[in-house]
Amino acid sequence: MELVLTGARLAAPQGLLFHRPGIAVSAIEPGDKPGEQVKARLALAPDCPLGEHPFRLRTAAGLSALHLFRVGPFPTVQEAEPNDE
């Protein structure tokens, strides 16, 4: 799956540090807005624990604040319009 992080001072991304097992980062690169966006490609292990996974972004300038990534038991379904029924 792809994870897009946005914010300030995100130049030179070097990695994501997860504090629980089950999530591996296969690629990380600047996004469409360098310095403001980072794209990371994640791989979830089949036995990845469900729930919240705290992580930090590591850049050349240091570590980000703690953020949460949630893993659920169901696949993500993108919303499609119209959806009034």
Side-chain angles (χ1 to χ4, degrees), residues 10-17 25 27-30 38-40 56-63:
L10 300 181
Q14 297 177 343
L16 291 175
L17 304 173
V25 180
I28 188 164
E29 60 188 27
V38 172
K39 289 184 182 179
R56 294 177 191 269
L57 172 66
R58 184 169 55 96
T59 68
L63 293 175

Side-chain angles (χ1 to χ4, degrees), residues 40-67:
R41 191 95 182 127
L42 305 179
L44 277 65
D47 60 347
C48 181
L50 300 178
E52 296 178 339
H53 290 259
F55 74 94
R56 294 177 191 269
L57 172 66
R58 184 169 55 96
T59 68
L63 293 175
S64 72
L66 190 70
H67 297 282

